Amino acid sequence: MIKLLNPELYEEDDRNAVRLIGAACPTCSGVFFPMQTYGCERCGADLRPRRFAAAGTVTAQARVHLHRAANPPTPFTVVALELDDGPVIRALLTSDSPPCQIGDRLVGELVDITEPDSEPRRDLRFTRAVAQ
Amino acid sequence: MTVVLNDLRPVYVVGIGLHRYQFASDTPYVALGLTAVRAALEDARLDWPAVESAYVGRALLPMAAGRAILRHLGTTGLPIAHMENASASGSTAFRHACFEVATGLCDVALALGVDKPGAAPAGRAESLSGIRNLADFAISPATHYALLADRYAHRHGVATDDFALVAVKNHRNGAKNPFAQHQKVRSLEEILGGKKIAGSFTSLQCTPVGEGAAAVIIASEAAVKRLGLDTRRAVRVSASAARSQRVYEPNVPYDAFLTAETTAMALQQARLAPKDLDIVELHDAFSVEEVEYVEAMGLCGEGKALSRLKEGAFDIGGACAVNPSGGLIAMGHPIGPTGVGQVAEIVRQLRGEAGPRQHAGARRGLAHMVGVGAVCYVHILET
Ligand SMILES: [Zn+2]
């Protein structure tokens, strides 16, 4: 299996579903992404890891045409999405996702981002969920 | 009990000076800074030894740039403090220079903003925090604000192309400002037809990268009298407010929320309402910001900024001139100087010395900066 680029941010369960590794605060009940061990942003307490489903609703999107770094290659689309489990995160759309707009449903998938002459890697991208 | 600036002894801006904001050049930062400070001293008709304390705002230059500049005015042994607060570095330097005079620790202080891109490795400390994220490597400031523009357009049912009208106004103002990086009137078609950056933004709706310097001299009433300065050209600083970002509910536009909170604090200190403001210099690094912030400040109702802009309410000569300098979009945003340059523009307007871009009858002005992090700084000046 190809390694994950950021295994501290997401994982694949035994049914191949992607889960985000977020955090919940036992003191103020806040939920956050990603997990970190420095302290809750709202109240300062120690956070505990909590897994979130990689599914949510678009709250904003932007097609990027000019980007200083070579990675990711332009054009690409950045989305802000509200996860079904609460936190708002920002992520990249897969290059073959249908265009999306505010209110659309997105689901996460692990895509091969291996670059030439480098170790194979998979990273999390989102794609527009098509109604069944 | 705590006090605010307005409770302390009055402080005045008595001198302003700038080095034009420009694209990166061979000009050393020392020359940029000295040009601005010497212009501010000349404007105040003040000799350098009268300045008792210096605050230097910069975010791109490496450590201790201020002493390397100020020693060429003749060393006096004055204390020098460097301020780094991202885009709000200059505003922070100004705030603390005002406080030092207002509290009576000194009578005359300098706030200098100076910067030069590429002089040191740039970047945000947050990227070194050890906390990784999914897509931060792909999200530039332009993309962050393009996401906000998408949400604003959706929330209020407006066309994203209308944000370009902010750039039309600010380029028109910048064309009349000899210190602006962009000094050219641009049509809506030219702006919309420019290079696409992110979302609805084209290059002329985004602040340019550049260098420059801005300086202001702050003095107490006692110093104005003792040094024989021109009281008619002294502009009082009546409020200084600063806040930083908290955790908000999902989908709250936090940039606007932070601006609303900080502006309300400053207006309360100065005992003013938004309608009392004649001039606002605000952080328009990207066109949508001006739209969000004029609403957050209370200059118009929620969702009304674009219609008020189309009516000319924010033009020079309108209800409140917003970014008469050209703002960050046209005057530029060399980082360290920007917040100090806003104060210089407001002082020029309140003195009635802004020439072809003078907003008639200007008596009260507000300067607003945000810096990544995020922080927000607001100052109010009055004649
Ligand atoms: Zn908490």
Side-chain angles (χ1 to χ4, degrees):
Chain A
M1 187 55 80
I2 302 175
K3 283 185 180 170
L4 300 179
L5 181 69
N6 286 308
E8 70 275 42
L9 296 180
Y10 45 80
E11 63 188 14
E12 201 169 19
D13 69 15
D14 43 18
R15 300 164 77 183
N16 287 350
V18 191
R19 296 190 305 181
L20 290 157
I21 306 171
C25 178
T27 304
C28 73
S29 305
V31 284
F32 304 93
F33 178 83
M35 171 60 192
Q36 43 85 9
T37 55
Y38 296 143
C40 173
E41 239 189 292
R42 185 175 283 147
C43 75
D46 285 341
L47 295 171
R48 300 204 181 128
R50 180 177 289 180
R51 266 63 179 172
F52 302 130
T57 305
V58 177
T59 63
Q61 61 80 34
R63 187 83 170 149
V64 179
H65 303 277
L66 189 80
H67 187 60
R68 272 194 200 159
N71 181 35
T74 53
F76 57 89
T77 300
V78 172
V79 287
L81 68 150
E82 186 169 0
L83 295 176
D84 296 343
D85 293 321
V88 175
I89 68 169
R90 299 193 297 189
L92 291 170
L93 271 197
T94 59
S95 54
D96 57 358
S97 170
C100 69
Q101 57 186 356
I102 291 171
D104 283 345
R105 295 284 304 159
L106 297 179
V107 289
E109 62 178 74
L110 293 165
V111 302
D112 189 335
I113 55 146
T114 306
E115 297 197 17
D117 305 322
S118 60
E119 207 183 335
R121 285 280 189 256
R122 288 183 301 160
D123 196 11
L124 180 62
R125 299 285 186 272
F126 280 78
T127 193
R128 202 179 95 194
V130 179
Q132 298 295 307
Chain B
M1 198 189 90
T2 59
V3 295
V4 296
L5 184 69
N6 221 5
D7 297 327
L8 302 168
R9 67 174 183 163
V11 295
Y12 299 87
V13 176
V14 296
I16 58 173
L18 292 131
H19 185 292
R20 182 184 170 179
Y21 299 174
Q22 60 193 20
F23 290 97
S25 75
D26 293 336
T27 310
Y29 76 88
V30 175
L32 300 174
L34 282 171
T35 299
V37 178
R38 287 193 169 118
L41 290 167
E42 190 182 327
D43 180 63
R45 295 175 184 87
L46 197 68
D47 293 327
W48 171 242
V51 177
E52 298 163 61
S53 187
Y55 289 83
V56 181
R58 93 284 175 270
L60 306 176
L61 288 169
M63 65 170 83
R67 153 85 181 152
I69 296 168
L70 299 175
R71 69 193 182 106
H72 299 290
L73 294 160
T75 53
T76 61
L78 86 174
I80 302 171
H82 293 81
M83 299 292 198
E84 186 278 302
N85 213 358
S87 293
S89 297
S91 313
T92 309
F94 178 70
R95 172 176 163 93
H96 290 274
C98 288
F99 285 163
E100 191 163 340
V101 173
T103 51
L105 293 170
C106 79
D107 266 336
V108 181
L110 167 75
L112 166 65
V114 59
D115 249 326
K116 198 167 173 70
R124 290 178 59 177
E126 197 175 339
S127 68
L128 307 173
S129 68
I131 301 173
R132 302 195 72 163
N133 224 315
L134 279 181
D136 283 359
F137 68 100
I139 303 176
S140 65
T143 302
H144 169 79
Y145 286 106
L147 291 168
L148 285 189
D150 187 46
R151 277 195 63 71
Y152 182 97
H154 182 262
R155 197 163 67 241
H156 296 297
V158 298
T160 50
D161 279 359
D162 276 0
F163 296 126
L165 293 166
V166 170
V168 172
K169 170 179 68 68
N170 292 352
H171 282 286
R172 185 167 67 233
N173 293 348
K176 295 176 184 161
N177 183 352
F179 300 104
Q181 189 163 337
H182 287 311
Q183 296 182 25
K184 197 169 171 192
V185 174
R186 300 285 190 169
S187 68
L188 181 61
E189 293 68 33
E190 264 181 292
I191 289 167
L192 289 174
K195 193 193 287 180
K196 284 175 176 293
I197 307 294
S200 61
F201 297 155
T202 49
S203 56
L204 290 171
Q205 294 179 65
C206 306
T207 186
V209 175
E211 63 183 28
V216 301
I217 295 167
I218 297 125
S220 66
E221 204 159 14
V224 169
K225 284 182 187 152
R226 174 167 54 81
L227 297 164
L229 307 182
D230 187 346
T231 53
R232 291 165 306 177
R233 296 179 73 247
V235 173
R236 180 162 179 193
V237 187
S238 60
S240 174
R243 300 292 292 162
S244 67
Q245 186 184 333
R246 294 178 290 160
V247 175
Y248 305 105
E249 291 306 307
N251 297 318
V252 165
Y254 71 80
D255 306 70
F257 201 88
L258 183 57
T259 288
E261 181 183 8
T262 315
T263 304
M265 283 175 69
L267 287 168
Q268 189 180 17
Q269 285 177 28
R271 297 177 193 91
L272 294 175
K275 65 173 171 45
D276 299 324
L277 298 168
D278 304 304
I279 304 285
V280 168
E281 284 281 319
L282 60 76
H283 182 281
D284 61 327
F286 302 94
S287 52
V288 69
E289 287 186 88
E290 182 168 312
V291 172
E292 295 246 14
Y293 298 150
V294 293
E295 293 178 10
M297 289 175 179
L299 295 176
C300 66
E302 171 86 15
K304 298 284 187 279
L306 286 169
S307 56
R308 292 292 286 149
L309 177 69
K310 289 176 187 172
E311 290 164 10
F314 306 130
D315 288 351
I316 294 167
C320 174
V322 177
N323 287 323
S325 69
L328 280 60
I329 284 177
M331 182 166 175
H333 182 28
I335 315 290
T338 313
V340 181
Q342 290 180 323
V343 171
E345 174 68 13
I346 290 170
V347 168
R348 209 183 294 281
Q349 291 280 348
L350 268 48
R351 285 173 174 172
E353 296 177 354
R357 62 181 195 286
Q358 180 66 47
H359 181 74
R363 291 184 53 221
R364 300 185 181 103
L366 180 148
H368 157 273
M369 279 300 285
V370 293
V372 293
V375 297
C376 184
Y377 278 66
V378 173
H379 289 94
I380 295 174
L381 292 96
E382 299 182 57
T383 49

